Amino acid sequence: MLIYGVTSKLNMLQKSLRGLLIILGLLILNSVLISAITGNIGNGKMILYPEVNGWTTTTLEKSILVKNVNNVSVNISLKIDENSSKFIEVIDKEFILEPNTEKKAQFIIKVKKEGRYEGKINVFFTPIEGKEAGVVLPSTIIVIASKDNKYNEEEDSDENTDS
């Protein structure tokens, strides 16, 4: 009788252990199947202070560091919002990044008049195969343009100031 009780408890323990191992295996398998593309950028926000004179365009060449931290190649697309199109031009609009690589995506900022300009460049990370979900990371660009210290409005006036 004592032996029967011990063997039945061992059988129940074995069944519980098998069930636990099956559940653990399913969880590991499920986590592999649910993996998604992730993204990483180096410049989430830029605040720039260029000097402008009001009659020539000031051009700034800048970049966003885009990193592929995934184990697969990803398509990268940079798109500007409606406000940004007035003063930002993206050079590297689309490219592919291999696993664990990075690239500086180039863009140009053009401002002529003094003032505050604000916009966003959205960086899209999408898988090449298209089977997994992608991600979008915004980079906010703020430009606070001030008058050039060398610029003098009096020099541009048409009035003759000779005495």
Side-chain angles (χ1 to χ4, degrees), residues 114-139:
E114 114 180 89
R116 179 183 165 96
Y117 304 84
E118 185 170 347
K120 286 187 179 170
I121 299 176
N122 294 311
V123 183
F124 291 81
F125 294 78
T126 55
I128 291 178
E129 292 84 29
K131 296 177 183 176
E132 299 173 350
V135 67
V136 180
L137 297 176
S139 180

mmCIF file with all atom_site columns, all heavy atoms in Angstrom, residues 114-139:
data_model
loop_
_atom_site.group_PDB
_atom_site.id
_atom_site.type_symbol
_atom_site.label_atom_id
_atom_site.label_alt_id
_atom_site.label_comp_id
_atom_site.label_asym_id
_atom_site.label_entity_id
_atom_site.label_seq_id
_atom_site.pdbx_PDB_ins_code
_atom_site.Cartn_x
_atom_site.Cartn_y
_atom_site.Cartn_z
_atom_site.occupancy
_atom_site.B_iso_or_equiv
_atom_site.pdbx_formal_charge
_atom_site.auth_seq_id
_atom_site.auth_comp_id
_atom_site.auth_asym_id
_atom_site.auth_atom_id
_atom_site.pdbx_PDB_model_num
ATOM 1   N N   . GLU A 1 114 ? 14.322 85.559 -40.608 1.00 0.00 ? 114 GLU A N   1
ATOM 2   C CA  . GLU A 1 114 ? 14.408 85.264 -39.192 1.00 0.00 ? 114 GLU A CA  1
ATOM 3   C C   . GLU A 1 114 ? 13.057 84.754 -38.697 1.00 0.00 ? 114 GLU A C   1
ATOM 4   O O   . GLU A 1 114 ? 12.011 85.074 -39.240 1.00 0.00 ? 114 GLU A O   1
ATOM 5   C CB  . GLU A 1 114 ? 14.921 86.509 -38.457 1.00 0.00 ? 114 GLU A CB  1
ATOM 6   C CG  . GLU A 1 114 ? 14.039 87.207 -37.527 1.00 0.00 ? 114 GLU A CG  1
ATOM 7   C CD  . GLU A 1 114 ? 14.713 88.409 -36.901 1.00 0.00 ? 114 GLU A CD  1
ATOM 8   O OE1 . GLU A 1 114 ? 14.622 89.497 -37.489 1.00 0.00 ? 114 GLU A OE1 1
ATOM 9   O OE2 . GLU A 1 114 ? 15.290 88.258 -35.823 1.00 0.00 ? 114 GLU A OE2 1
ATOM 10  N N   . GLY A 1 115 ? 13.108 83.881 -37.690 1.00 0.00 ? 115 GLY A N   1
ATOM 11  C CA  . GLY A 1 115 ? 11.884 83.313 -37.128 1.00 0.00 ? 115 GLY A CA  1
ATOM 12  C C   . GLY A 1 115 ? 12.116 81.907 -36.622 1.00 0.00 ? 115 GLY A C   1
ATOM 13  O O   . GLY A 1 115 ? 13.230 81.394 -36.611 1.00 0.00 ? 115 GLY A O   1
ATOM 14  N N   . ARG A 1 116 ? 11.016 81.297 -36.198 1.00 0.00 ? 116 ARG A N   1
ATOM 15  C CA  . ARG A 1 116 ? 11.070 79.926 -35.670 1.00 0.00 ? 116 ARG A CA  1
ATOM 16  C C   . ARG A 1 116 ? 10.402 78.986 -36.675 1.00 0.00 ? 116 ARG A C   1
ATOM 17  O O   . ARG A 1 116 ? 9.277  79.226 -37.097 1.00 0.00 ? 116 ARG A O   1
ATOM 18  C CB  . ARG A 1 116 ? 10.347 79.859 -34.327 1.00 0.00 ? 116 ARG A CB  1
ATOM 19  C CG  . ARG A 1 116 ? 10.314 78.489 -33.716 1.00 0.00 ? 116 ARG A CG  1
ATOM 20  C CD  . ARG A 1 116 ? 9.504  78.500 -32.428 1.00 0.00 ? 116 ARG A CD  1
ATOM 21  N NE  . ARG A 1 116 ? 9.170  77.177 -31.997 1.00 0.00 ? 116 ARG A NE  1
ATOM 22  C CZ  . ARG A 1 116 ? 9.850  76.481 -31.102 1.00 0.00 ? 116 ARG A CZ  1
ATOM 23  N NH1 . ARG A 1 116 ? 10.912 77.015 -30.536 1.00 0.00 ? 116 ARG A NH1 1
ATOM 24  N NH2 . ARG A 1 116 ? 9.469  75.275 -30.757 1.00 0.00 ? 116 ARG A NH2 1
ATOM 25  N N   . TYR A 1 117 ? 11.111 77.924 -37.027 1.00 0.00 ? 117 TYR A N   1
ATOM 26  C CA  . TYR A 1 117 ? 10.621 76.905 -37.947 1.00 0.00 ? 117 TYR A CA  1
ATOM 27  C C   . TYR A 1 117 ? 10.623 75.571 -37.198 1.00 0.00 ? 117 TYR A C   1
ATOM 28  O O   . TYR A 1 117 ? 11.588 75.255 -36.505 1.00 0.00 ? 117 TYR A O   1
ATOM 29  C CB  . TYR A 1 117 ? 11.536 76.787 -39.174 1.00 0.00 ? 117 TYR A CB  1
ATOM 30  C CG  . TYR A 1 117 ? 11.735 78.082 -39.925 1.00 0.00 ? 117 TYR A CG  1
ATOM 31  C CD1 . TYR A 1 117 ? 12.699 79.010 -39.533 1.00 0.00 ? 117 TYR A CD1 1
ATOM 32  C CD2 . TYR A 1 117 ? 10.984 78.377 -41.058 1.00 0.00 ? 117 TYR A CD2 1
ATOM 33  C CE1 . TYR A 1 117 ? 12.891 80.190 -40.226 1.00 0.00 ? 117 TYR A CE1 1
ATOM 34  C CE2 . TYR A 1 117 ? 11.178 79.550 -41.769 1.00 0.00 ? 117 TYR A CE2 1
ATOM 35  C CZ  . TYR A 1 117 ? 12.134 80.456 -41.337 1.00 0.00 ? 117 TYR A CZ  1
ATOM 36  O OH  . TYR A 1 117 ? 12.340 81.626 -42.032 1.00 0.00 ? 117 TYR A OH  1
ATOM 37  N N   . GLU A 1 118 ? 9.555  74.805 -37.346 1.00 0.00 ? 118 GLU A N   1
ATOM 38  C CA  . GLU A 1 118 ? 9.501  73.511 -36.675 1.00 0.00 ? 118 GLU A CA  1
ATOM 39  C C   . GLU A 1 118 ? 8.862  72.479 -37.588 1.00 0.00 ? 118 GLU A C   1
ATOM 40  O O   . GLU A 1 118 ? 7.867  72.749 -38.250 1.00 0.00 ? 118 GLU A O   1
ATOM 41  C CB  . GLU A 1 118 ? 8.710  73.608 -35.366 1.00 0.00 ? 118 GLU A CB  1
ATOM 42  C CG  . GLU A 1 118 ? 8.719  72.339 -34.562 1.00 0.00 ? 118 GLU A CG  1
ATOM 43  C CD  . GLU A 1 118 ? 8.146  72.482 -33.173 1.00 0.00 ? 118 GLU A CD  1
ATOM 44  O OE1 . GLU A 1 118 ? 7.946  73.618 -32.699 1.00 0.00 ? 118 GLU A OE1 1
ATOM 45  O OE2 . GLU A 1 118 ? 7.897  71.444 -32.546 1.00 0.00 ? 118 GLU A OE2 1
ATOM 46  N N   . GLY A 1 119 ? 9.457  71.285 -37.594 1.00 0.00 ? 119 GLY A N   1
ATOM 47  C CA  . GLY A 1 119 ? 8.914  70.197 -38.411 1.00 0.00 ? 119 GLY A CA  1
ATOM 48  C C   . GLY A 1 119 ? 9.441  68.862 -37.936 1.00 0.00 ? 119 GLY A C   1
ATOM 49  O O   . GLY A 1 119 ? 10.228 68.778 -36.999 1.00 0.00 ? 119 GLY A O   1
ATOM 50  N N   . LYS A 1 120 ? 8.972  67.812 -38.608 1.00 0.00 ? 120 LYS A N   1
ATOM 51  C CA  . LYS A 1 120 ? 9.379  66.459 -38.243 1.00 0.00 ? 120 LYS A CA  1
ATOM 52  C C   . LYS A 1 120 ? 9.800  65.677 -39.474 1.00 0.00 ? 120 LYS A C   1
ATOM 53  O O   . LYS A 1 120 ? 9.216  65.818 -40.543 1.00 0.00 ? 120 LYS A O   1
ATOM 54  C CB  . LYS A 1 120 ? 8.229  65.706 -37.574 1.00 0.00 ? 120 LYS A CB  1
ATOM 55  C CG  . LYS A 1 120 ? 7.960  66.163 -36.186 1.00 0.00 ? 120 LYS A CG  1
ATOM 56  C CD  . LYS A 1 120 ? 6.943  65.286 -35.505 1.00 0.00 ? 120 LYS A CD  1
ATOM 57  C CE  . LYS A 1 120 ? 6.805  65.865 -34.130 1.00 0.00 ? 120 LYS A CE  1
ATOM 58  N NZ  . LYS A 1 120 ? 5.864  65.477 -33.302 1.00 0.00 ? 120 LYS A NZ  1
ATOM 59  N N   . ILE A 1 121 ? 10.811 64.848 -39.270 1.00 0.00 ? 121 ILE A N   1
ATOM 60  C CA  . ILE A 1 121 ? 11.186 63.845 -40.254 1.00 0.00 ? 121 ILE A CA  1
ATOM 61  C C   . ILE A 1 121 ? 10.854 62.501 -39.614 1.00 0.00 ? 121 ILE A C   1
ATOM 62  O O   . ILE A 1 121 ? 11.375 62.170 -38.550 1.00 0.00 ? 121 ILE A O   1
ATOM 63  C CB  . ILE A 1 121 ? 12.678 63.910 -40.620 1.00 0.00 ? 121 ILE A CB  1
ATOM 64  C CG1 . ILE A 1 121 ? 13.022 65.267 -41.233 1.00 0.00 ? 121 ILE A CG1 1
ATOM 65  C CG2 . ILE A 1 121 ? 13.040 62.779 -41.573 1.00 0.00 ? 121 ILE A CG2 1
ATOM 66  C CD1 . ILE A 1 121 ? 14.494 65.454 -41.545 1.00 0.00 ? 121 ILE A CD1 1
ATOM 67  N N   . ASN A 1 122 ? 9.946  61.749 -40.235 1.00 0.00 ? 122 ASN A N   1
ATOM 68  C CA  . ASN A 1 122 ? 9.568  60.433 -39.732 1.00 0.00 ? 122 ASN A CA  1
ATOM 69  C C   . ASN A 1 122 ? 10.432 59.380 -40.390 1.00 0.00 ? 122 ASN A C   1
ATOM 70  O O   . ASN A 1 122 ? 10.546 59.324 -41.615 1.00 0.00 ? 122 ASN A O   1
ATOM 71  C CB  . ASN A 1 122 ? 8.087  60.157 -39.998 1.00 0.00 ? 122 ASN A CB  1
ATOM 72  C CG  . ASN A 1 122 ? 7.206  61.088 -39.198 1.00 0.00 ? 122 ASN A CG  1
ATOM 73  O OD1 . ASN A 1 122 ? 7.380  61.246 -38.003 1.00 0.00 ? 122 ASN A OD1 1
ATOM 74  N ND2 . ASN A 1 122 ? 6.254  61.719 -39.861 1.00 0.00 ? 122 ASN A ND2 1
ATOM 75  N N   . VAL A 1 123 ? 11.058 58.526 -39.567 1.00 0.00 ? 123 VAL A N   1
ATOM 76  C CA  . VAL A 1 123 ? 11.927 57.459 -40.051 1.00 0.00 ? 123 VAL A CA  1
ATOM 77  C C   . VAL A 1 123 ? 11.166 56.143 -39.929 1.00 0.00 ? 123 VAL A C   1
ATOM 78  O O   . VAL A 1 123 ? 10.833 55.716 -38.833 1.00 0.00 ? 123 VAL A O   1
ATOM 79  C CB  . VAL A 1 123 ? 13.244 57.401 -39.243 1.00 0.00 ? 123 VAL A CB  1
ATOM 80  C CG1 . VAL A 1 123 ? 14.169 56.328 -39.805 1.00 0.00 ? 123 VAL A CG1 1
ATOM 81  C CG2 . VAL A 1 123 ? 13.941 58.755 -39.237 1.00 0.00 ? 123 VAL A CG2 1
ATOM 82  N N   . PHE A 1 124 ? 10.864 55.521 -41.079 1.00 0.00 ? 124 PHE A N   1
ATOM 83  C CA  . PHE A 1 124 ? 10.101 54.278 -41.134 1.00 0.00 ? 124 PHE A CA  1
ATOM 84  C C   . PHE A 1 124 ? 11.060 53.096 -41.241 1.00 0.00 ? 124 PHE A C   1
ATOM 85  O O   . PHE A 1 124 ? 11.913 53.063 -42.130 1.00 0.00 ? 124 PHE A O   1
ATOM 86  C CB  . PHE A 1 124 ? 9.172  54.263 -42.354 1.00 0.00 ? 124 PHE A CB  1
ATOM 87  C CG  . PHE A 1 124 ? 8.039  55.243 -42.268 1.00 0.00 ? 124 PHE A CG  1
ATOM 88  C CD1 . PHE A 1 124 ? 8.227  56.576 -42.582 1.00 0.00 ? 124 PHE A CD1 1
ATOM 89  C CD2 . PHE A 1 124 ? 6.779  54.822 -41.878 1.00 0.00 ? 124 PHE A CD2 1
ATOM 90  C CE1 . PHE A 1 124 ? 7.188  57.488 -42.514 1.00 0.00 ? 124 PHE A CE1 1
ATOM 91  C CE2 . PHE A 1 124 ? 5.727  55.722 -41.807 1.00 0.00 ? 124 PHE A CE2 1
ATOM 92  C CZ  . PHE A 1 124 ? 5.932  57.055 -42.126 1.00 0.00 ? 124 PHE A CZ  1
ATOM 93  N N   . PHE A 1 125 ? 10.919 52.125 -40.350 1.00 0.00 ? 125 PHE A N   1
ATOM 94  C CA  . PHE A 1 125 ? 11.668 50.869 -40.379 1.00 0.00 ? 125 PHE A CA  1
ATOM 95  C C   . PHE A 1 125 ? 10.672 49.777 -40.775 1.00 0.00 ? 125 PHE A C   1
ATOM 96  O O   . PHE A 1 125 ? 9.727  49.509 -40.036 1.00 0.00 ? 125 PHE A O   1
ATOM 97  C CB  . PHE A 1 125 ? 12.228 50.527 -38.996 1.00 0.00 ? 125 PHE A CB  1
ATOM 98  C CG  . PHE A 1 125 ? 13.281 51.470 -38.494 1.00 0.00 ? 125 PHE A CG  1
ATOM 99  C CD1 . PHE A 1 125 ? 12.945 52.709 -37.966 1.00 0.00 ? 125 PHE A CD1 1
ATOM 100 C CD2 . PHE A 1 125 ? 14.618 51.108 -38.519 1.00 0.00 ? 125 PHE A CD2 1
ATOM 101 C CE1 . PHE A 1 125 ? 13.916 53.565 -37.480 1.00 0.00 ? 125 PHE A CE1 1
ATOM 102 C CE2 . PHE A 1 125 ? 15.598 51.958 -38.036 1.00 0.00 ? 125 PHE A CE2 1
ATOM 103 C CZ  . PHE A 1 125 ? 15.242 53.188 -37.524 1.00 0.00 ? 125 PHE A CZ  1
ATOM 104 N N   . THR A 1 126 ? 10.862 49.147 -41.934 1.00 0.00 ? 126 THR A N   1
ATOM 105 C CA  . THR A 1 126 ? 9.970  48.069 -42.371 1.00 0.00 ? 126 THR A CA  1
ATOM 106 C C   . THR A 1 126 ? 10.801 46.878 -42.830 1.00 0.00 ? 126 THR A C   1
ATOM 107 O O   . THR A 1 126 ? 11.881 47.051 -43.406 1.00 0.00 ? 126 THR A O   1
ATOM 108 C CB  . THR A 1 126 ? 9.039  48.524 -43.514 1.00 0.00 ? 126 THR A CB  1
ATOM 109 O OG1 . THR A 1 126 ? 9.833  49.045 -44.581 1.00 0.00 ? 126 THR A OG1 1
ATOM 110 C CG2 . THR A 1 126 ? 8.063  49.584 -43.056 1.00 0.00 ? 126 THR A CG2 1
ATOM 111 N N   . PRO A 1 127 ? 10.293 45.673 -42.592 1.00 0.00 ? 127 PRO A N   1
ATOM 112 C CA  . PRO A 1 127 ? 11.049 44.493 -43.015 1.00 0.00 ? 127 PRO A CA  1
ATOM 113 C C   . PRO A 1 127 ? 11.058 44.357 -44.534 1.00 0.00 ? 127 PRO A C   1
ATOM 114 O O   . PRO A 1 127 ? 10.130 44.796 -45.204 1.00 0.00 ? 127 PRO A O   1
ATOM 115 C CB  . PRO A 1 127 ? 10.294 43.329 -42.360 1.00 0.00 ? 127 PRO A CB  1
ATOM 116 C CG  . PRO A 1 127 ? 8.912  43.851 -42.158 1.00 0.00 ? 127 PRO A CG  1
ATOM 117 C CD  . PRO A 1 127 ? 9.048  45.324 -41.924 1.00 0.00 ? 127 PRO A CD  1
ATOM 118 N N   . ILE A 1 128 ? 12.097 43.770 -45.066 1.00 0.00 ? 128 ILE A N   1
ATOM 119 C CA  . ILE A 1 128 ? 12.190 43.577 -46.509 1.00 0.00 ? 128 ILE A CA  1
ATOM 120 C C   . ILE A 1 128 ? 11.151 42.568 -46.981 1.00 0.00 ? 128 ILE A C   1
ATOM 121 O O   . ILE A 1 128 ? 10.517 42.758 -48.008 1.00 0.00 ? 128 ILE A O   1
ATOM 122 C CB  . ILE A 1 128 ? 13.615 43.137 -46.906 1.00 0.00 ? 128 ILE A CB  1
ATOM 123 C CG1 . ILE A 1 128 ? 14.567 44.301 -46.679 1.00 0.00 ? 128 ILE A CG1 1
ATOM 124 C CG2 . ILE A 1 128 ? 13.679 42.671 -48.350 1.00 0.00 ? 128 ILE A CG2 1
ATOM 125 C CD1 . ILE A 1 128 ? 16.006 44.024 -46.972 1.00 0.00 ? 128 ILE A CD1 1
ATOM 126 N N   . GLU A 1 129 ? 10.946 41.498 -46.203 1.00 0.00 ? 129 GLU A N   1
ATOM 127 C CA  . GLU A 1 129 ? 9.980  40.475 -46.579 1.00 0.00 ? 129 GLU A CA  1
ATOM 128 C C   . GLU A 1 129 ? 8.547  40.945 -46.396 1.00 0.00 ? 129 GLU A C   1
ATOM 129 O O   . GLU A 1 129 ? 7.647  40.438 -47.024 1.00 0.00 ? 129 GLU A O   1
ATOM 130 C CB  . GLU A 1 129 ? 10.173 39.198 -45.740 1.00 0.00 ? 129 GLU A CB  1
ATOM 131 C CG  . GLU A 1 129 ? 11.464 38.475 -46.034 1.00 0.00 ? 129 GLU A CG  1
ATOM 132 C CD  . GLU A 1 129 ? 12.626 39.049 -45.244 1.00 0.00 ? 129 GLU A CD  1
ATOM 133 O OE1 . GLU A 1 129 ? 12.404 39.575 -44.127 1.00 0.00 ? 129 GLU A OE1 1
ATOM 134 O OE2 . GLU A 1 129 ? 13.758 38.993 -45.725 1.00 0.00 ? 129 GLU A OE2 1
ATOM 135 N N   . GLY A 1 130 ? 8.300  41.883 -45.511 1.00 0.00 ? 130 GLY A N   1
ATOM 136 C CA  . GLY A 1 130 ? 6.956  42.402 -45.289 1.00 0.00 ? 130 GLY A CA  1
ATOM 137 C C   . GLY A 1 130 ? 6.101  41.530 -44.399 1.00 0.00 ? 130 GLY A C   1
ATOM 138 O O   . GLY A 1 130 ? 4.897  41.708 -44.331 1.00 0.00 ? 130 GLY A O   1
ATOM 139 N N   . LYS A 1 131 ? 6.695  40.569 -43.683 1.00 0.00 ? 131 LYS A N   1
ATOM 140 C CA  . LYS A 1 131 ? 5.932  39.663 -42.832 1.00 0.00 ? 131 LYS A CA  1
ATOM 141 C C   . LYS A 1 131 ? 5.741  40.202 -41.423 1.00 0.00 ? 131 LYS A C   1
ATOM 142 O O   . LYS A 1 131 ? 4.813  39.818 -40.734 1.00 0.00 ? 131 LYS A O   1
ATOM 143 C CB  . LYS A 1 131 ? 6.624  38.305 -42.761 1.00 0.00 ? 131 LYS A CB  1
ATOM 144 C CG  . LYS A 1 131 ? 6.684  37.591 -44.088 1.00 0.00 ? 131 LYS A CG  1
ATOM 145 C CD  . LYS A 1 131 ? 7.432  36.294 -43.966 1.00 0.00 ? 131 LYS A CD  1
ATOM 146 C CE  . LYS A 1 131 ? 7.555  35.622 -45.326 1.00 0.00 ? 131 LYS A CE  1
ATOM 147 N NZ  . LYS A 1 131 ? 8.341  34.408 -45.269 1.00 0.00 ? 131 LYS A NZ  1
ATOM 148 N N   . GLU A 1 132 ? 6.640  41.043 -40.963 1.00 0.00 ? 132 GLU A N   1
ATOM 149 C CA  . GLU A 1 132 ? 6.587  41.537 -39.590 1.00 0.00 ? 132 GLU A CA  1
ATOM 150 C C   . GLU A 1 132 ? 6.135  42.993 -39.571 1.00 0.00 ? 132 GLU A C   1
ATOM 151 O O   . GLU A 1 132 ? 6.216  43.699 -40.572 1.00 0.00 ? 132 GLU A O   1
ATOM 152 C CB  . GLU A 1 132 ? 7.969  41.415 -38.944 1.00 0.00 ? 132 GLU A CB  1
ATOM 153 C CG  . GLU A 1 132 ? 8.472  39.990 -38.874 1.00 0.00 ? 132 GLU A CG  1
ATOM 154 C CD  . GLU A 1 132 ? 9.905  39.909 -38.394 1.00 0.00 ? 132 GLU A CD  1
ATOM 155 O OE1 . GLU A 1 132 ? 10.570 40.950 -38.295 1.00 0.00 ? 132 GLU A OE1 1
ATOM 156 O OE2 . GLU A 1 132 ? 10.361 38.798 -38.152 1.00 0.00 ? 132 GLU A OE2 1
ATOM 157 N N   . ALA A 1 133 ? 5.682  43.417 -38.405 1.00 0.00 ? 133 ALA A N   1
ATOM 158 C CA  . ALA A 1 133 ? 5.261  44.809 -38.239 1.00 0.00 ? 133 ALA A CA  1
ATOM 159 C C   . ALA A 1 133 ? 6.480  45.724 -38.237 1.00 0.00 ? 133 ALA A C   1
ATOM 160 O O   . ALA A 1 133 ? 7.543  45.350 -37.779 1.00 0.00 ? 133 ALA A O   1
ATOM 161 C CB  . ALA A 1 133 ? 4.483  44.961 -36.943 1.00 0.00 ? 133 ALA A CB  1
ATOM 162 N N   . GLY A 1 134 ? 6.310  46.922 -38.761 1.00 0.00 ? 134 GLY A N   1
ATOM 163 C CA  . GLY A 1 134 ? 7.381  47.904 -38.770 1.00 0.00 ? 134 GLY A CA  1
ATOM 164 C C   . GLY A 1 134 ? 7.208  48.909 -37.642 1.00 0.00 ? 134 GLY A C   1
ATOM 165 O O   . GLY A 1 134 ? 6.315  48.780 -36.810 1.00 0.00 ? 134 GLY A O   1
ATOM 166 N N   . VAL A 1 135 ? 8.067  49.924 -37.646 1.00 0.00 ? 135 VAL A N   1
ATOM 167 C CA  . VAL A 1 135 ? 8.004  50.953 -36.616 1.00 0.00 ? 135 VAL A CA  1
ATOM 168 C C   . VAL A 1 135 ? 8.368  52.297 -37.249 1.00 0.00 ? 135 VAL A C   1
ATOM 169 O O   . VAL A 1 135 ? 9.097  52.344 -38.239 1.00 0.00 ? 135 VAL A O   1
ATOM 170 C CB  . VAL A 1 135 ? 8.948  50.605 -35.431 1.00 0.00 ? 135 VAL A CB  1
ATOM 171 C CG1 . VAL A 1 135 ? 10.397 50.662 -35.834 1.00 0.00 ? 135 VAL A CG1 1
ATOM 172 C CG2 . VAL A 1 135 ? 8.693  51.502 -34.239 1.00 0.00 ? 135 VAL A CG2 1
ATOM 173 N N   . VAL A 1 136 ? 7.817  53.380 -36.689 1.00 0.00 ? 136 VAL A N   1
ATOM 174 C CA  . VAL A 1 136 ? 8.112  54.738 -37.152 1.00 0.00 ? 136 VAL A CA  1
ATOM 175 C C   . VAL A 1 136 ? 8.648  55.538 -35.968 1.00 0.00 ? 136 VAL A C   1
ATOM 176 O O   . VAL A 1 136 ? 8.034  55.557 -34.902 1.00 0.00 ? 136 VAL A O   1
ATOM 177 C CB  . VAL A 1 136 ? 6.850  55.438 -37.697 1.00 0.00 ? 136 VAL A CB  1
ATOM 178 C CG1 . VAL A 1 136 ? 7.186  56.847 -38.161 1.00 0.00 ? 136 VAL A CG1 1
ATOM 179 C CG2 . VAL A 1 136 ? 6.225  54.639 -38.801 1.00 0.00 ? 136 VAL A CG2 1
ATOM 180 N N   . LEU A 1 137 ? 9.786  56.204 -36.170 1.00 0.00 ? 137 LEU A N   1
ATOM 181 C CA  . LEU A 1 137 ? 10.363 57.067 -35.134 1.00 0.00 ? 137 LEU A CA  1
ATOM 182 C C   . LEU A 1 137 ? 10.485 58.486 -35.677 1.00 0.00 ? 137 LEU A C   1
ATOM 183 O O   . LEU A 1 137 ? 11.053 58.688 -36.749 1.00 0.00 ? 137 LEU A O   1
ATOM 184 C CB  . LEU A 1 137 ? 11.744 56.554 -34.720 1.00 0.00 ? 137 LEU A CB  1
ATOM 185 C CG  . LEU A 1 137 ? 11.779 55.166 -34.093 1.00 0.00 ? 137 LEU A CG  1
ATOM 186 C CD1 . LEU A 1 137 ? 13.215 54.743 -33.826 1.00 0.00 ? 137 LEU A CD1 1
ATOM 187 C CD2 . LEU A 1 137 ? 10.979 55.135 -32.810 1.00 0.00 ? 137 LEU A CD2 1
ATOM 188 N N   . PRO A 1 138 ? 9.962  59.475 -34.950 1.00 0.00 ? 138 PRO A N   1
ATOM 189 C CA  . PRO A 1 138 ? 10.058 60.858 -35.421 1.00 0.00 ? 138 PRO A CA  1
ATOM 190 C C   . PRO A 1 138 ? 11.327 61.547 -34.937 1.00 0.00 ? 138 PRO A C   1
ATOM 191 O O   . PRO A 1 138 ? 11.812 61.278 -33.844 1.00 0.00 ? 138 PRO A O   1
ATOM 192 C CB  . PRO A 1 138 ? 8.824  61.516 -34.794 1.00 0.00 ? 138 PRO A CB  1
ATOM 193 C CG  . PRO A 1 138 ? 8.638  60.763 -33.512 1.00 0.00 ? 138 PRO A CG  1
ATOM 194 C CD  . PRO A 1 138 ? 9.085  59.348 -33.797 1.00 0.00 ? 138 PRO A CD  1
ATOM 195 N N   . SER A 1 139 ? 11.847 62.426 -35.768 1.00 0.00 ? 139 SER A N   1
ATOM 196 C CA  . SER A 1 139 ? 12.944 63.313 -35.382 1.00 0.00 ? 139 SER A CA  1
ATOM 197 C C   . SER A 1 139 ? 12.429 64.740 -35.544 1.00 0.00 ? 139 SER A C   1
ATOM 198 O O   . SER A 1 139 ? 12.073 65.153 -36.643 1.00 0.00 ? 139 SER A O   1
ATOM 199 C CB  . SER A 1 139 ? 14.166 63.077 -36.264 1.00 0.00 ? 139 SER A CB  1
ATOM 200 O OG  . SER A 1 139 ? 15.218 63.940 -35.871 1.00 0.00 ? 139 SER A OG  1
#
